[in-house]
Amino acid sequence: MVYRGVDPQGRTAAVKVSRQGDLAREHRLLATFSHAHLLRPLDCGRGAQGQWLATEWAQGGALPDAPPGGFEEARVRRWLAEAAGALAHLHRCGWVHRDLKPANLLLRADGALVLADFGEAVPAGTPGPAVAGTLVGSPRYAAPEQSQGAPATPAADVYSLGVLLHEWLTGQPPFGGETPAETLAQHLVAPVPRLPAARAQWQPLLEALLAKDPACRLPDGQAVLTRNAT
């Protein structure tokens, strides 16, 4: 559960409460990875309902669903740069988010995008789940190798950003299915969709983000920033 509150300094805060998650760990990570496009932590502790984590209140909430035909290009380019910037910083610190999706990208009152929810974040190279078929992340956004139990790499976050980019440009996910298993299968074998003619200039970048083989993908957030700037 997430509540809206006010801290002792009078700052509006989002307070996440959990009986199971390690919110103290998430607080440490957010504090360690301080960056303009990462959610700012305020405090953490434990109460009658379990652990709690207080962060800045992102007034704009989670990213909205893309409309039919996608968002305007200026907004797409800005969000891509801000998300890639947050990932670039995280990747330079040697970590992987592993759960990039709209619900974990929030908007401040000024429209700036911030990356949130580090519950699945791990150091790069961390082995995948030991139990076969266990997925870390969300089926709609997870890289193909995440469903295969591969170690965590920054390239997996890049793939998830590619899925988001396709949604922002078209209003539709690049791969889908009626069940999570069907969606994961599409990520594994389906070719990268062709963008509409009006968005065709984005196709090379999309291909570089959604390559099935991580070795053929842009390797990290900094590479996305560099490519997006050209």
Side-chain angles (χ1 to χ4, degrees):
M1 298 293 293
V2 180
Y3 302 90
R4 181 177 179 177
V6 179
D7 77 354
Q9 286 72 47
R11 298 173 294 186
T12 302
V15 184
K16 181 162 64 172
V17 179
S18 174
R19 294 189 180 275
Q20 297 180 341
D22 188 353
L23 299 186
R25 172 184 181 272
E26 187 171 349
H27 178 266
R28 290 193 302 271
L29 293 179
L30 286 170
T32 300
F33 304 139
S34 178
H35 183 268
H37 292 291
L38 295 180
L39 194 68
R40 292 191 296 266
L42 301 177
D43 203 352
C44 67
R46 181 177 292 275
Q49 298 182 49
Q51 293 188 57
W52 57 267
L53 168 64
T55 66
E56 66 171 298
W57 177 261
Q59 186 173 331
L63 291 189
D65 292 334
F71 293 108
E72 65 273 18
E73 188 160 320
R75 183 184 303 193
V76 172
R77 195 169 293 279
R78 184 177 74 250
W79 282 354
L80 181 63
E82 291 173 344
L87 290 176
H89 181 72
L90 183 64
H91 296 160
R92 282 193 295 270
C93 292
W95 283 68
V96 181
H97 188 275
R98 298 201 303 176
D99 197 19
L100 190 65
K101 59 186 179 182
N104 292 337
L105 291 170
L106 309 179
L107 296 174
R108 294 190 174 116
D110 63 359
L113 177 151
V114 291
L115 177 60
D117 197 339
F118 281 65
E120 300 290 355
V122 293
T126 298
V131 179
T134 300
L135 175 70
V136 175
S138 303
R140 183 164 168 169
Y141 300 95
E145 64 270 19
Q146 285 179 260
S147 65
Q148 303 299 297
T153 68
D157 288 341
V158 168
Y159 185 93
S160 299
L161 185 56
V163 177
L164 286 166
L165 177 61
H166 188 278
E167 291 185 353
W168 296 342
L169 290 171
T170 69
Q172 298 291 331
F175 310 111
E178 294 184 2
T179 67
E182 290 179 3
T183 300
L184 293 174
Q186 291 288 309
H187 283 297
L188 285 168
V189 302
V192 177
R194 303 301 299 177
L195 291 171
R199 305 284 189 164
Q201 71 272 20
W202 291 89
Q203 190 70 38
L205 176 59
L206 190 69
E207 299 274 356
L209 300 181
L210 291 179
K212 305 296 184 186
D213 183 351
C216 299
R217 202 179 299 152
L218 291 182
D220 54 29
Q222 184 58 53
V224 179
L225 272 179
T226 302
R227 182 73 172 267
N228 188 44
T230 60

